[in-house]
Coordinates of all heavy atoms in Angstrom, one line a residue:
M1 N 4.9 222.1 82.1 CA 3.5 221.7 82.3 C 2.9 221.3 80.9 O 3.2 221.8 79.9 CB 2.8 223.0 82.8 CG 1.3 222.7 83.1 SD 0.4 224.2 83.7 CE 0.7 224.1 85.4
N2 N 1.9 220.4 81.0 CA 1.3 219.8 79.8 C 0.4 220.9 79.2 O -0.4 221.6 79.9 CB 0.4 218.6 80.3 CG -0.3 218.0 79.2 OD1 -0.6 218.6 78.2 ND2 -0.7 216.7 79.4
L3 N 0.7 221.1 77.9 CA -0.1 222.1 77.2 C -1.6 222.0 77.2 O -2.4 223.0 77.3 CB 0.4 222.3 75.7 CG 1.8 222.8 75.6 CD1 2.3 222.6 74.1 CD2 1.9 224.3 76.0
L4 N -2.1 220.7 77.3 CA -3.6 220.4 77.3 C -4.2 220.8 78.5 O -5.4 221.1 78.5 CB -3.8 219.0 76.9 CG -3.5 218.4 75.7 CD1 -3.7 216.9 75.5 CD2 -4.4 219.2 74.6
T5 N -3.5 220.9 79.7 CA -4.1 221.3 80.9 C -4.0 222.8 81.2 O -4.6 223.3 82.2 CB -3.4 220.5 82.1 OG1 -2.1 220.9 82.2 CG2 -3.5 219.1 81.9
R6 N -3.4 223.5 80.3 CA -3.2 225.0 80.5 C -4.3 225.7 79.8 O -5.0 225.2 78.9 CB -1.9 225.4 79.9 CG -0.7 224.8 80.7 CD 0.6 225.2 80.2 NE 0.8 226.7 80.2 CZ 1.7 227.3 79.6 NH1 2.6 226.6 78.8 NH2 1.7 228.7 79.6
T7 N -4.6 226.9 80.3 CA -5.6 227.9 79.7 C -4.9 229.1 79.2 O -3.8 229.5 79.8 CB -6.5 228.2 80.8 OG1 -7.1 227.0 81.4 CG2 -7.6 229.2 80.3
C8 N -5.3 229.7 78.1 CA -4.7 230.8 77.5 C -4.9 232.0 78.5 O -5.9 232.1 79.2 CB -5.4 231.1 76.2 SG -5.0 230.0 74.8
G9 N -3.9 232.8 78.5 CA -3.8 234.0 79.3 C -4.0 235.3 78.5 O -3.7 235.3 77.3
A10 N -4.6 236.3 79.1 CA -4.8 237.6 78.5 C -3.4 238.3 78.3 O -2.5 238.1 79.1 CB -5.7 238.5 79.3
N11 N -3.3 239.0 77.2 CA -2.0 239.7 76.9 C -0.7 239.0 77.0 O 0.2 239.4 77.6 CB -2.0 241.0 77.8 CG -3.2 241.9 77.5 OD1 -3.6 242.2 76.4 ND2 -3.7 242.4 78.6
A12 N -0.8 237.8 76.4 CA 0.4 236.9 76.4 C 1.6 237.5 75.7 O 1.4 238.2 74.7 CB 0.0 235.6 75.7
A13 N 2.7 237.3 76.3 CA 4.0 237.9 75.7 C 4.5 237.1 74.6 O 4.3 235.9 74.5 CB 5.0 238.1 76.9
A14 N 5.2 237.8 73.8 CA 5.9 237.1 72.6 C 7.0 236.1 73.1 O 7.6 236.5 74.1 CB 6.5 238.1 71.6
L15 N 7.1 235.0 72.6 CA 8.2 234.0 72.9 C 9.4 234.4 72.1 O 9.3 234.8 71.0 CB 7.6 232.6 72.7 CG 6.4 232.1 73.3 CD1 6.0 230.8 72.8 CD2 6.8 232.0 74.9
D16 N 10.5 234.0 72.8 CA 11.8 234.2 72.0 C 12.1 232.9 71.3 O 11.3 231.9 71.4 CB 13.0 234.6 73.0 CG 13.2 233.5 74.0 OD1 13.0 232.3 73.9 OD2 13.8 233.9 75.1
A17 N 13.1 232.8 70.5 CA 13.4 231.7 69.6 C 13.6 230.4 70.4 O 13.2 229.4 70.0 CB 14.6 232.0 68.7
G18 N 14.2 230.6 71.5 CA 14.6 229.4 72.4 C 13.2 228.8 73.0 O 13.2 227.5 73.0
A19 N 12.4 229.6 73.4 CA 11.2 229.1 73.9 C 10.3 228.5 72.9 O 9.6 227.4 73.2 CB 10.4 230.2 74.6
I20 N 10.2 229.0 71.7 CA 9.5 228.4 70.5 C 10.1 227.0 70.2 O 9.3 226.1 70.0 CB 9.6 229.4 69.4 CG1 8.7 230.6 69.6 CG2 9.1 228.6 68.1 CD1 8.9 231.8 68.6
A21 N 11.5 226.9 70.2 CA 12.2 225.7 69.9 C 11.8 224.6 70.9 O 11.8 223.4 70.5 CB 13.6 226.0 69.7
A22 N 11.6 225.1 72.2 CA 11.4 224.1 73.2 C 9.9 223.7 73.2 O 9.6 222.5 73.5 CB 11.6 224.7 74.6
L23 N 9.0 224.5 72.7 CA 7.5 224.2 72.7 C 7.2 223.4 71.4 O 6.3 222.6 71.4 CB 6.7 225.5 72.7 CG 6.7 226.1 74.2 CD1 6.0 227.5 74.1 CD2 5.9 225.1 75.1
L24 N 7.8 223.7 70.4 CA 7.4 223.1 69.0 C 7.4 221.6 69.1 O 6.4 220.9 68.5 CB 8.3 223.6 67.9 CG 7.8 223.3 66.5 CD1 6.4 223.8 66.3 CD2 8.8 223.7 65.5
P25 N 8.3 220.8 69.8 CA 8.2 219.3 69.8 C 7.0 218.9 70.6 O 6.6 217.7 70.5 CB 9.4 218.9 70.5 CG 10.4 220.0 70.4 CD 9.5 221.3 70.3
Q26 N 6.3 219.8 71.4 CA 5.2 219.4 72.2 C 3.9 219.4 71.3 O 2.8 218.9 71.8 CB 5.0 220.3 73.4 CG 6.1 220.1 74.3 CD 6.0 221.0 75.6 OE1 5.0 221.0 76.2 NE2 7.0 221.7 76.0
V27 N 4.0 219.9 70.1 CA 2.8 219.9 69.2 C 3.3 219.2 67.9 O 3.4 219.9 66.9 CB 2.3 221.3 69.1 CG1 1.5 221.8 70.2 CG2 3.3 222.3 68.6
P28 N 3.4 217.9 67.9 CA 3.8 217.2 66.7 C 2.8 217.5 65.5 O 1.6 217.6 65.6 CB 3.7 215.7 67.1 CG 3.7 215.7 68.5 CD 3.1 217.0 69.0
G29 N 3.4 217.7 64.2 CA 2.7 217.9 63.1 C 2.5 219.4 62.8 O 2.1 219.8 61.7
W30 N 2.9 220.3 63.8 CA 2.8 221.7 63.5 C 4.1 222.2 63.1 O 5.2 221.7 63.5 CB 2.3 222.4 64.9 CG 0.9 222.0 65.3 CD1 0.5 221.0 65.9 CD2 -0.2 222.9 65.1 NE1 -0.9 221.1 66.1 CE2 -1.3 222.2 65.6 CE3 -0.4 224.1 64.5 CZ2 -2.6 222.7 65.5 CZ3 -1.6 224.7 64.5 CH2 -2.7 224.0 64.9
T31 N 4.1 223.3 62.3 CA 5.3 223.9 61.8 C 5.1 225.4 62.0 O 4.0 225.8 62.2 CB 5.6 223.5 60.3 OG1 4.4 224.1 59.5 CG2 5.7 222.1 60.2
I32 N 6.2 226.1 61.7 CA 6.2 227.5 61.8 C 6.4 228.0 60.4 O 7.5 227.7 59.7 CB 7.2 228.1 62.8 CG1 6.7 227.6 64.2 CG2 7.2 229.7 62.7 CD1 7.7 228.0 65.3
A33 N 5.6 228.9 59.8 CA 5.8 229.4 58.5 C 5.3 230.9 58.6 O 4.1 231.1 59.1 CB 5.1 228.6 57.5
D34 N 5.9 231.8 58.1 CA 5.6 233.2 58.0 C 5.2 233.7 59.4 O 4.3 234.5 59.6 CB 4.4 233.5 57.0 CG 4.8 233.1 55.6 OD1 5.9 233.3 55.2 OD2 3.9 232.5 54.9
G35 N 5.9 233.2 60.4 CA 5.8 233.7 61.8 C 4.5 233.1 62.5 O 4.1 233.6 63.5
K36 N 3.8 232.2 61.9 CA 2.7 231.5 62.4 C 2.8 230.0 62.7 O 3.5 229.3 61.9 CB 1.5 231.7 61.5 CG 1.0 233.2 61.3 CD -0.2 233.4 60.4 CE -0.4 234.9 60.2 NZ -1.6 235.1 59.5
L37 N 2.2 229.6 63.6 CA 2.2 228.1 64.0 C 1.0 227.6 63.2 O -0.1 228.0 63.4 CB 2.0 228.0 65.5 CG 2.0 226.6 66.1 CD1 3.4 225.9 65.9 CD2 1.7 226.7 67.6
Q38 N 1.3 226.6 62.4 CA 0.4 226.1 61.5 C 0.3 224.6 61.3 O 1.4 223.9 61.5 CB 0.4 226.8 60.1 CG 1.8 226.5 59.5 CD 1.7 227.2 58.1 OE1 1.2 228.2 57.9 NE2 2.4 226.6 57.1
R39 N -0.9 224.1 60.9 CA -1.0 222.7 60.6 C -2.3 222.5 59.8 O -3.3 223.2 60.0 CB -1.2 221.8 61.9 CG -1.4 220.3 61.6 CD -1.3 219.5 62.9 NE -1.7 218.1 62.6 CZ -2.1 217.2 63.4 NH1 -1.9 217.4 64.7 NH2 -2.3 216.0 63.0
S40 N -2.3 221.5 58.9 CA -3.5 221.1 58.2 C -4.0 219.9 58.6 O -3.2 218.9 58.9 CB -3.2 221.1 56.7 OG -3.0 222.3 56.1
F41 N -5.3 219.8 58.8 CA -6.1 218.5 59.2 C -6.9 218.0 58.0 O -7.6 218.8 57.5 CB -6.9 218.8 60.4 CG -6.2 219.2 61.6 CD1 -6.0 220.7 61.9 CD2 -5.6 218.4 62.5 CE1 -5.2 221.1 63.0 CE2 -4.8 218.8 63.7 CZ -4.7 220.2 63.9
T42 N -6.9 216.7 57.7 CA -7.6 216.1 56.6 C -8.8 215.3 57.2 O -8.6 214.7 58.3 CB -6.8 215.3 55.7 OG1 -6.1 214.3 56.4 CG2 -5.7 216.2 55.0
F43 N -9.9 215.2 56.4 CA -11.0 214.5 56.9 C -11.6 213.8 55.7 O -11.2 214.0 54.4 CB -12.1 215.6 57.3 CG -11.5 216.4 58.4 CD1 -10.9 217.6 58.2 CD2 -11.6 215.9 59.8 CE1 -10.4 218.3 59.2 CE2 -11.2 216.7 60.8 CZ -10.5 217.9 60.5
K44 N -12.5 212.8 55.9 CA -13.0 212.0 54.9 C -14.1 212.7 54.1 O -14.4 212.3 53.0 CB -13.5 210.6 55.4 CG -14.8 210.8 56.3 CD -15.1 209.4 56.8 CE -16.3 209.5 57.8 NZ -16.7 208.2 58.3
N45 N -14.8 213.7 54.6 CA -15.8 214.5 53.9 C -16.1 215.8 54.5 O -15.5 216.2 55.5 CB -17.1 213.6 53.9 CG -17.6 213.3 55.2 OD1 -17.7 214.2 56.2 ND2 -18.0 212.0 55.5
Y46 N -17.0 216.6 53.8 CA -17.2 217.9 54.2 C -17.8 217.9 55.7 O -17.6 218.9 56.4 CB -18.1 218.7 53.3 CG -18.4 220.1 53.4 CD1 -17.4 221.0 53.3 CD2 -19.6 220.5 54.0 CE1 -17.6 222.4 53.5 CE2 -19.9 221.9 54.1 CZ -18.8 222.8 54.0 OH -19.0 224.1 54.2
Y47 N -18.7 217.0 55.9 CA -19.4 217.0 57.3 C -18.4 216.9 58.4 O -18.5 217.6 59.3 CB -20.5 215.9 57.3 CG -21.1 215.8 58.6 CD1 -22.2 216.6 58.9 CD2 -20.6 214.9 59.6 CE1 -22.8 216.5 60.2 CE2 -21.2 214.9 60.8 CZ -22.2 215.7 61.2 OH -22.8 215.6 62.4
D48 N -17.5 216.0 58.2 CA -16.5 215.8 59.3 C -15.6 217.0 59.4 O -15.1 217.3 60.4 CB -15.6 214.5 58.9 CG -16.3 213.3 59.2 OD1 -17.4 213.3 59.9 OD2 -15.9 212.2 58.7
T49 N -15.2 217.7 58.3 CA -14.4 218.8 58.3 C -15.2 220.0 59.1 O -14.6 220.6 59.9 CB -14.1 219.4 56.9 OG1 -13.6 218.4 56.1 CG2 -13.3 220.6 56.9
M50 N -16.5 220.2 58.8 CA -17.3 221.2 59.5 C -17.5 220.8 60.9 O -17.4 221.7 61.8 CB -18.5 221.5 58.7 CG -18.4 222.1 57.3 SD -17.3 223.5 57.3 CE -18.2 224.6 58.3
A51 N -17.6 219.6 61.2 CA -17.7 219.2 62.7 C -16.5 219.5 63.5 O -16.6 220.1 64.6 CB -18.0 217.7 62.8
F52 N -15.4 219.3 62.9 CA -14.2 219.7 63.5 C -14.0 221.3 63.7 O -13.7 221.8 64.6 CB -12.9 219.2 62.6 CG -11.6 219.7 63.2 CD1 -10.9 219.1 64.2 CD2 -10.9 220.8 62.5 CE1 -9.6 219.6 64.6 CE2 -9.7 221.2 62.9 CZ -9.1 220.6 64.0
V53 N -14.4 222.0 62.5 CA -14.3 223.4 62.6 C -15.1 223.9 63.7 O -14.8 224.9 64.3 CB -14.7 223.9 61.2 CG1 -14.9 225.5 61.3 CG2 -13.5 223.7 60.1
N54 N -16.4 223.5 63.8 CA -17.3 223.9 64.9 C -16.8 223.6 66.3 O -16.9 224.4 67.2 CB -18.7 223.4 64.6 CG -19.4 224.1 63.5 OD1 -19.3 225.2 63.3 ND2 -20.1 223.3 62.7
A55 N -16.3 222.4 66.4 CA -15.7 222.1 67.8 C -14.5 223.0 68.1 O -14.3 223.4 69.2 CB -15.3 220.6 67.8
L56 N -13.7 223.2 67.1 CA -12.5 224.1 67.3 C -13.0 225.6 67.6 O -12.4 226.2 68.4 CB -11.6 224.1 66.0 CG -10.3 224.9 66.1 CD1 -9.4 224.4 67.4 CD2 -9.6 224.8 64.9
A57 N -14.0 226.0 66.9 CA -14.6 227.3 67.2 C -15.0 227.4 68.7 O -14.8 228.4 69.4 CB -15.7 227.6 66.3
W58 N -15.6 226.3 69.2 CA -16.0 226.3 70.6 C -14.8 226.4 71.6 O -14.9 227.2 72.6 CB -16.8 225.0 71.0 CG -17.4 224.9 72.3 CD1 -18.6 225.4 72.7 CD2 -16.8 224.4 73.5 NE1 -18.9 225.1 74.0 CE2 -17.7 224.6 74.5 CE3 -15.5 223.8 73.7 CZ2 -17.4 224.2 75.8 CZ3 -15.3 223.3 75.0 CH2 -16.3 223.5 76.0
I59 N -13.8 225.6 71.3 CA -12.6 225.7 72.1 C -12.0 227.1 72.0 O -11.6 227.7 73.1 CB -11.5 224.7 71.5 CG1 -12.0 223.2 71.9 CG2 -10.1 224.9 72.1 CD1 -11.2 222.1 71.2
S60 N -11.9 227.7 70.8 CA -11.4 229.0 70.6 C -12.2 230.1 71.4 O -11.5 230.9 72.0 CB -11.3 229.4 69.1 OG -10.5 228.4 68.3
H61 N -13.4 229.9 71.4 CA -14.2 230.9 72.1 C -13.9 230.8 73.6 O -13.7 231.9 74.3 CB -15.7 230.6 71.9 CG -16.6 231.4 72.6 ND1 -16.8 232.8 72.4 CD2 -17.4 231.2 73.7 CE1 -17.6 233.2 73.3 NE2 -18.0 232.3 74.1
H62 N -13.8 229.6 74.1 CA -13.5 229.4 75.6 C -12.1 229.7 76.0 O -11.9 230.2 77.1 CB -13.9 228.0 76.1 CG -15.4 227.8 76.1 ND1 -16.2 228.2 77.1 CD2 -16.3 227.4 75.2 CE1 -17.5 228.0 76.8 NE2 -17.6 227.4 75.6
Q63 N -11.2 229.6 75.1 CA -9.8 230.0 75.4 C -9.6 231.5 75.0 O -8.6 232.1 75.4 CB -8.8 229.2 74.6 CG -8.8 227.8 74.9 CD -8.3 227.5 76.3 OE1 -7.3 228.2 76.8 NE2 -9.0 226.7 77.1
D64 N -10.6 232.1 74.4 CA -10.5 233.4 73.9 C -9.1 233.7 73.1 O -8.5 234.7 73.3 CB -10.5 234.5 75.0 CG -10.8 236.0 74.6 OD1 -11.3 236.1 73.4 OD2 -10.4 236.9 75.3
H65 N -9.0 232.7 72.2 CA -7.8 232.8 71.4 C -8.2 232.1 70.1 O -8.4 231.0 70.0 CB -6.6 232.0 72.0 CG -5.3 232.4 71.3 ND1 -4.8 233.7 71.3 CD2 -4.4 231.6 70.5 CE1 -3.6 233.6 70.5 NE2 -3.4 232.4 70.2
H66 N -8.2 232.9 68.9 CA -8.8 232.5 67.7 C -7.9 232.3 66.6 O -7.1 233.2 66.3 CB -10.0 233.4 67.4 CG -10.8 233.7 68.5 ND1 -10.7 234.7 69.4 CD2 -11.9 233.0 68.9 CE1 -11.7 234.6 70.3 NE2 -12.5 233.6 69.9
P67 N -7.9 231.2 65.9 CA -7.0 231.0 64.8 C -7.5 231.5 63.5 O -8.7 231.9 63.4 CB -7.0 229.4 64.7 CG -8.4 229.0 65.1 CD -8.8 230.0 66.1
E68 N -6.6 231.5 62.5 CA -7.0 231.8 61.2 C -7.2 230.5 60.6 O -6.5 229.5 60.7 CB -5.8 232.5 60.5 CG -6.0 232.8 59.0 CD -4.7 233.4 58.4 OE1 -4.2 234.3 59.0 OE2 -4.3 232.9 57.4
L69 N -8.4 230.3 59.9 CA -8.8 229.0 59.3 C -8.9 229.1 57.8 O -9.6 230.1 57.4 CB -10.0 228.5 59.9 CG -10.2 228.3 61.4 CD1 -11.6 227.9 61.8 CD2 -9.1 227.3 61.8
T70 N -8.5 228.1 57.1 CA -8.9 227.9 55.7 C -9.5 226.6 55.6 O -8.9 225.5 55.8 CB -7.7 228.0 54.8 OG1 -7.0 229.3 55.0 CG2 -8.0 227.9 53.3
V71 N -10.8 226.6 55.1 CA -11.6 225.4 55.1 C -12.0 225.0 53.7 O -12.5 225.8 53.0 CB -12.9 225.6 56.0 CG1 -13.8 224.4 56.0 CG2 -12.5 226.0 57.4
T72 N -11.8 223.8 53.4 CA -12.1 223.2 52.0 C -12.9 222.0 52.3 O -13.2 221.6 53.5 CB -10.9 223.0 51.2 OG1 -10.1 222.0 51.8 CG2 -10.1 224.2 50.9
Y73 N -13.3 221.3 51.3 CA -14.2 220.1 51.4 C -13.6 219.0 52.4 O -14.3 218.6 53.3 CB -14.4 219.4 50.1 CG -15.3 218.3 50.1 CD1 -16.7 218.5 50.1 CD2 -14.8 217.0 50.2 CE1 -17.6 217.4 50.1 CE2 -15.7 215.9 50.2 CZ -17.1 216.1 50.1 OH -17.9 215.1 50.2
K74 N -12.4 218.7 52.3 CA -11.8 217.6 53.2 C -10.6 218.1 54.0 O -9.8 217.3 54.5 CB -11.3 216.5 52.3 CG -12.5 215.7 51.7 CD -11.8 214.5 50.9 CE -12.9 213.6 50.4 NZ -12.3 212.4 49.8
E75 N -10.4 219.4 54.2 CA -9.2 219.9 54.8 C -9.6 221.2 55.6 O -10.3 222.0 55.2 CB -8.0 220.1 53.9 CG -6.8 220.5 54.6 CD -5.7 220.7 53.5 OE1 -5.8 221.6 52.6 OE2 -4.7 219.9 53.5
C76 N -8.9 221.4 56.7 CA -8.9 222.6 57.5 C -7.5 223.0 57.8 O -6.8 222.1 58.6 CB -9.8 222.4 58.7 SG -9.7 223.9 59.8
A77 N -7.0 224.1 57.3 CA -5.7 224.6 57.7 C -5.9 225.6 58.8 O -6.7 226.4 58.8 CB -5.0 225.3 56.5
V78 N -5.1 225.4 59.9 CA -5.2 226.2 61.1 C -3.9 227.0 61.3 O -2.8 226.3 61.3 CB -5.5 225.3 62.4 CG1 -5.7 226.1 63.6 CG2 -6.7 224.4 62.1
R79 N -4.0 228.2 61.6 CA -2.8 229.1 61.8 C -3.0 229.9 63.0 O -4.1 230.6 63.1 CB -2.5 229.9 60.6 CG -1.9 229.2 59.5 CD -1.8 230.0 58.2 NE -3.1 230.4 57.6 CZ -4.0 229.7 57.0 NH1 -3.6 228.4 56.7 NH2 -5.1 230.2 56.4
Y80 N -2.0 229.9 63.9 CA -2.1 230.7 65.1 C -0.9 231.7 65.1 O 0.2 231.4 64.8 CB -2.0 229.8 66.4 CG -3.2 229.0 66.7 CD1 -3.2 227.6 66.4 CD2 -4.2 229.6 67.4 CE1 -4.4 226.9 66.8 CE2 -5.4 228.9 67.7 CZ -5.4 227.5 67.4 OH -6.5 226.8 67.7
N81 N -1.2 232.8 65.7 CA -0.2 233.9 66.1 C -0.9 234.7 67.1 O -2.3 234.6 67.2 CB 0.5 234.7 65.0 CG -0.5 235.6 64.3 OD1 -1.7 235.3 64.2 ND2 0.0 236.7 63.8
T82 N -0.3 235.6 67.9 CA -1.0 236.4 68.9 C -0.9 237.9 68.6 O 0.1 238.4 68.6 CB -0.3 236.1 70.3 OG1 -0.3 234.7 70.6 CG2 -1.0 236.8 71.4
H83 N -2.1 238.4 68.3 CA -2.2 239.8 68.0 C -1.7 240.7 69.1 O -1.0 241.7 68.9 CB -3.7 240.2 67.6 CG -4.1 239.4 66.4 ND1 -3.6 239.7 65.2 CD2 -5.0 238.4 66.3 CE1 -4.1 238.8 64.3 NE2 -5.0 238.1 64.9
S84 N -2.0 240.4 70.4 CA -1.6 241.2 71.6 C -0.1 241.1 71.7 O 0.4 241.9 72.5 CB -2.4 240.8 72.8 OG -2.0 239.5 73.2
A85 N 0.6 240.2 71.1 CA 2.1 240.0 71.2 C 2.7 240.6 69.9 O 3.8 240.3 69.5 CB 2.5 238.6 71.4
G86 N 2.0 241.5 69.2 CA 2.4 242.1 67.9 C 2.5 241.2 66.8 O 3.2 241.3 65.9
G87 N 1.7 240.1 66.8 CA 1.6 239.1 65.7 C 2.6 238.0 65.9 O 2.8 237.2 65.1
A88 N 3.4 238.0 67.0 CA 4.4 237.0 67.3 C 3.7 235.8 67.8 O 2.5 235.7 68.1 CB 5.4 237.6 68.3
L89 N 4.5 234.8 68.1 CA 3.9 233.5 68.8 C 4.0 233.7 70.3 O 5.0 234.3 70.8 CB 4.8 232.3 68.4 CG 4.6 232.0 66.9 CD1 5.5 230.8 66.5 CD2 3.2 231.7 66.5
S90 N 3.1 233.1 71.0 CA 3.0 233.2 72.5 C 2.7 231.8 72.9 O 2.3 230.9 72.2 CB 1.9 234.2 72.9 OG 0.6 233.7 72.7
D91 N 2.6 231.6 74.2 CA 2.2 230.4 74.9 C 0.8 230.0 74.4 O 0.5 228.8 74.3 CB 2.2 230.5 76.4 CG 3.6 230.4 77.0 OD1 4.5 229.9 76.4 OD2 3.8 230.8 78.1
N92 N -0.1 231.0 74.2 CA -1.4 230.8 73.9 C -1.5 230.0 72.5 O -2.4 229.1 72.4 CB -2.2 232.1 73.7 CG -2.4 232.8 75.1 OD1 -2.2 232.2 76.1 ND2 -2.9 234.0 75.0
D93 N -0.7 230.3 71.6 CA -0.6 229.6 70.3 C -0.3 228.1 70.5 O -1.0 227.3 69.9 CB 0.3 230.2 69.4 CG 0.1 231.7 69.2 OD1 -1.1 232.1 68.8 OD2 1.0 232.6 69.4
F94 N 0.6 227.8 71.4 CA 0.9 226.4 71.6 C -0.1 225.7 72.4 O -0.4 224.5 72.1 CB 2.3 226.3 72.2 CG 3.4 226.7 71.3 CD1 3.9 228.0 71.1 CD2 4.0 225.7 70.4 CE1 4.9 228.3 70.3 CE2 5.0 226.1 69.5 CZ 5.4 227.4 69.4
I95 N -0.7 226.3 73.3 CA -1.8 225.7 74.1 C -2.9 225.4 73.1 O -3.5 224.3 73.2 CB -2.3 226.7 75.1 CG1 -1.2 226.9 76.3 CG2 -3.6 226.3 75.7 CD1 -1.4 228.1 77.2
C96 N -3.3 226.3 72.3 CA -4.5 226.1 71.4 C -4.1 225.1 70.4 O -5.0 224.2 69.9 CB -4.9 227.4 70.8 SG -5.9 228.4 72.0
A97 N -2.9 225.0 69.9 CA -2.4 224.1 69.0 C -2.5 222.6 69.6 O -3.0 221.7 68.9 CB -1.0 224.3 68.5
A98 N -2.2 222.5 70.8 CA -2.2 221.2 71.5 C -3.6 220.7 71.5 O -4.0 219.6 71.3 CB -1.6 221.2 72.8
K99 N -4.5 221.7 71.8 CA -6.0 221.4 72.0 C -6.6 221.0 70.7 O -7.4 220.1 70.6 CB -6.7 222.5 72.7 CG -6.3 222.7 74.2 CD -7.0 223.9 74.7 CE -6.5 224.2 76.2 NZ -6.7 223.1 77.2
A100 N -6.2 221.7 69.6 CA -6.7 221.4 68.3 C -6.2 220.0 67.9 O -7.0 219.2 67.3 CB -6.2 222.4 67.3
S101 N -4.9 219.6 68.2 CA -4.5 218.3 67.8 C -5.2 217.2 68.6 O -5.6 216.2 68.0 CB -2.9 218.2 68.0 OG -2.3 219.0 67.1
S102 N -5.5 217.4 69.8 CA -6.2 216.5 70.7 C -7.6 216.4 70.2 O -8.1 215.2 70.1 CB -6.2 217.0 72.1 OG -6.9 216.1 72.9
L103 N -8.2 217.4 69.8 CA -9.5 217.3 69.2 C -9.6 216.4 68.0 O -10.4 215.6 67.8 CB -10.1 218.7 68.9 CG -11.4 218.8 68.1 CD1 -12.5 218.3 68.9 CD2 -11.7 220.3 67.6
Y104 N -8.6 216.7 67.1 CA -8.5 215.9 65.8 C -8.3 214.5 66.2 O -8.9 213.6 65.6 CB -7.3 216.4 65.0 CG -7.1 215.8 63.7 CD1 -8.1 216.0 62.7 CD2 -6.2 214.9 63.5 CE1 -7.9 215.3 61.5 CE2 -5.9 214.3 62.3 CZ -6.8 214.4 61.3 OH -6.6 213.7 60.1
D105 N -7.4 214.2 67.1 CA -7.1 212.8 67.4 C -8.3 212.1 68.0 O -8.6 210.9 67.6 CB -5.9 212.7 68.4 CG -4.6 213.1 67.9 OD1 -4.5 213.2 66.6 OD2 -3.6 213.4 68.6
Q106 N -9.1 212.8 68.8 CA -10.3 212.1 69.3 C -11.4 212.0 68.2 O -12.0 210.9 68.2 CB -10.9 213.2 70.4 CG -10.1 213.3 71.6 CD -10.6 214.4 72.5 OE1 -11.7 214.8 72.4 NE2 -9.7 214.8 73.4
R107 N -11.5 212.9 67.3 CA -12.5 212.8 66.2 C -12.1 211.7 65.2 O -13.0 211.1 64.6 CB -12.7 214.1 65.6 CG -13.3 215.2 66.6 CD -13.8 216.4 65.8 NE -15.0 216.1 65.0 CZ -16.1 216.0 65.4 NH1 -16.4 216.1 66.7 NH2 -17.1 215.8 64.6
S108 N -10.9 211.6 65.0 CA -10.3 210.6 63.9 C -10.2 209.3 64.5 O -9.9 208.4 63.7 CB -9.1 211.2 63.3 OG -8.0 211.2 64.1
G109 N -10.3 209.1 65.8 CA -10.1 207.8 66.4 C -8.7 207.4 66.5 O -8.4 206.2 66.6
A110 N -7.8 208.3 66.4 CA -6.3 208.0 66.4 C -5.9 207.6 67.9 O -6.5 207.8 68.8 CB -5.5 209.2 66.0

């Protein structure tokens, strides 16, 4: 199923290595580091960075799945993992990563 059409579920279970390997190609540009699914997004200025952050906050609120963000003038680093899965990766992380990438593609005109 397309990650963009899915909704995050409560108490998502941790994924095994095979499931993670199968899902990772569905979120191009994302990598796994320190057990988190992560990607950095670049922008032309602070306003565009903050517009993305605010739109991502809206998505996160509606999915009830919140990333760790590091925001600078022209960049936003996004990291996902699932606390209810013991800090492991779950389907929710990949669903939200796909939605974040789609948001970025829409905002950047890609």
